[in-house]
Amino acid sequence: MTTFETSLQWHNRAQRIIPGGVSSPVRAFQSVGGTPRYFVKGEGSKIWDVDGNEYVDLVGSWGPMIVGHAHPHVVSRVKSAMEKSSSFGAPGPGEVLLAEEIAARVPACERVRFVSSGTEAVMTAVRLARAATGRNLIVKFAGCYHGHSDSLLVQSGSGIATLGLPNSPGVTQGQTQDTIVVPFNDVEAMNRLFAERGSDIAAVITEATPANMGVVPPLPGFNKFLSDITKKHGALFILDEVMTGFRISQGGWWGKFGLEEAWTPDLFTFGKVIGGGMPLAAVGGSASVMELLAPSGSVYQAGTLSGNPVATTAGLATLELCDSELYLSLDSRAREVGSAISNALTAADVEHSFQQAGNLFSFFFTSQNASNFDDAKKQDTSAFAVFFHSLLEQGISVPPSAFEAWFVSGALTDDDVDKIAKAASVAAQKVKLRSS
């Protein structure tokens, strides 16, 4: 890297007008320190900042850039859509075509409703679950992130299954009193909770595989257990595939694992990949539940830009490129990159755990594998910060937090992997020197 002066200038300017200088908190680099890079160009597996520095991108806009940046097929389709208008606030063919594509890939989605963000999708799914069951309680897992709607922005208490307390100012205890937080992967806690309060629970919501406390895969059979126990007690099972949907496979996490394990959620939430980098998300599921939405039913949800023609065009164009060959490539690249980094850390005697779920992966700077949020929080985040900055200085862009998933794209090359491996060796040595 040559200089970051222009990024610094932009960030100083941003902080005078945007809270914290960013439009989403993790971008501010607060957990790793230093100055955020301001990016202005992406092509394939590479991105460039305002100072002209080039990086291999392992963030991929947190998942949507699955085929790489500025893919010609996506760019061409989006330009064509934009030339006809960026928005109508009315029905259009694009949303129908994308909904049909989602349903073809995930047959359990008999109906699909588009919104503009994952937060909106989850908020709508929760509202539907409460309306469908006539119950109030929602169960979520500590460390799973489902957007920033009030009722789900809670943390776990000290008990096995406690009523969630707000973990953000501005969210009242009243707004979260119907949310219960349970440790992830804890079957015993869930059995006890349903034995005590099963008739009050409207839904259980989980990330298909948690990726917002780092990547923590569900234990074998855990998602099937959630599907079974909710059905037994008349609650709904909401599978949050905002991150995993159409990234893990052509049918998302459920298409790769749910069908094989014989379980099906009642509702899905999607985002990221289905917008191809544009603000787009969706809630989908069984017709009997989804038809409760207005105007078919009385559960209200609306949005001026929902089903936006440019966003749905970008999403459909992206999905058209997401075939079986791409998913094989993503899985292979994730293993190559993850193993190269893990090998570098091992060679430097740096304690770590490399965890992978499909083609999502992350590293915990502790020798213990993480199976829940408490495990994830035991890692040495200061070691991660050293590792992160060394990679960044060598032209490798990774998530600026120890609690995020890493992403590969179909545009990643053998040369990129070699560059990542070499940079990881240097970064691992810096972590080792810091500890010695």
Side-chain angles (χ1 to χ4, degrees), residues 136-150:
N136 293 331
L137 288 184
I138 302 296
V139 180
K140 73 176 291 284
F141 296 100
C144 283
Y145 179 68
H146 303 289
H148 57 89
S149 59
D150 287 347

Side-chain angles (χ1 to χ4, degrees), residues 330-362:
L330 293 173
D331 290 347
S332 175
R333 289 301 190 195
R335 285 192 298 270
E336 289 175 356
V337 172
S339 296
I341 293 172
S342 182
N343 290 342
L345 290 167
T346 299
D349 294 322
V350 176
E351 285 192 344
H352 72 284
S353 172
F354 165 44
Q355 297 194 186
Q356 186 173 356
N359 56 62
L360 297 180
F361 62 96
S362 67

Side-chain angles (χ1 to χ4, degrees), residues 168-424:
S168 173
V171 178
T172 70
Q173 189 168 346
Q175 288 168 311
T176 60
Q177 65 183 352
D178 290 326
T179 304
I180 294 178
V181 184
V182 178
F184 186 66
N185 275 327
D186 195 331
V187 170
E188 280 189 26
M190 289 296 289
N191 277 325
R192 288 200 296 272
L193 174 60
F194 270 91
E196 294 172 8
R197 310 209 52 189
S199 61
D200 299 324
I201 295 171
V204 174
I205 183 169
T206 184
E207 290 183 77
T209 181
N212 286 280
M213 53 175 142
V215 174
V216 178
L219 293 176
F222 186 67
N223 281 335
K224 176 172 173 51
F225 161 75
L226 296 180
S227 178
D228 290 345
I229 198 168
T230 49
K231 283 181 172 58
K232 178 181 177 181
H233 290 269
L236 299 193
F237 179 31
I238 304 172
L239 192 69
D240 186 341
E241 291 227 47
V242 167
M243 195 169 287
T244 58
F246 314 115
R247 166 159 280 279
I248 297 300
S249 78
Q250 288 172 295
W253 187 273
W254 178 75
K256 187 167 186 174
F257 299 107
L259 282 172
E260 180 181 320
E261 297 165 355
W263 56 268
T264 301
D266 300 284
L267 292 169
F268 296 80
T269 58
F270 298 113
K272 311 290 188 185
V273 171
I274 69 163
M278 295 287 188
L280 185 72
V283 57
S286 66
S288 61
V289 176
M290 290 294 295
E291 289 289 349
L292 295 174
L293 281 172
S296 295
S298 57
V299 177
Y300 195 71
Q301 179 277 326
T304 300
L305 297 179
S306 297
N308 174 270
V310 179
T312 53
T313 295
L316 185 59
T318 298
L319 286 181
E320 287 169 352
L321 299 168
C322 292
D323 55 17
S324 57
E325 185 177 342
L326 173 69
Y327 291 110
L328 288 173
S329 173
L330 293 173
D331 290 347
S332 175
R333 289 301 190 195
R335 285 192 298 270
E336 289 175 356
V337 172
S339 296
I341 293 172
S342 182
N343 290 342
L345 290 167
T346 299
D349 294 322
V350 176
E351 285 192 344
H352 72 284
S353 172
F354 165 44
Q355 297 194 186
Q356 186 173 356
N359 56 62
L360 297 180
F361 62 96
S362 67
F363 302 88
F364 296 90
F365 280 76
T366 173
S367 59
Q368 180 184 356
N369 287 337
S371 62
N372 55 46
F373 193 35
D374 284 342
D375 291 342
K377 289 188 291 185
K378 293 174 183 176
Q379 68 175 305
D380 185 351
T381 55
S382 61
F384 172 83
V386 172
F387 193 69
F388 165 83
H389 278 291
S390 180
L391 290 179
L392 196 65
E393 289 163 7
Q394 298 176 80
I396 311 297
S397 176
V398 304
S401 167
F403 298 97
E404 298 286 354
W406 297 29
F407 301 89
V408 293
S409 78
L412 211 63
T413 67
D414 290 341
D415 286 344
D416 292 333
V417 176
D418 288 342
K419 183 175 181 179
I420 292 165
K422 291 173 183 176

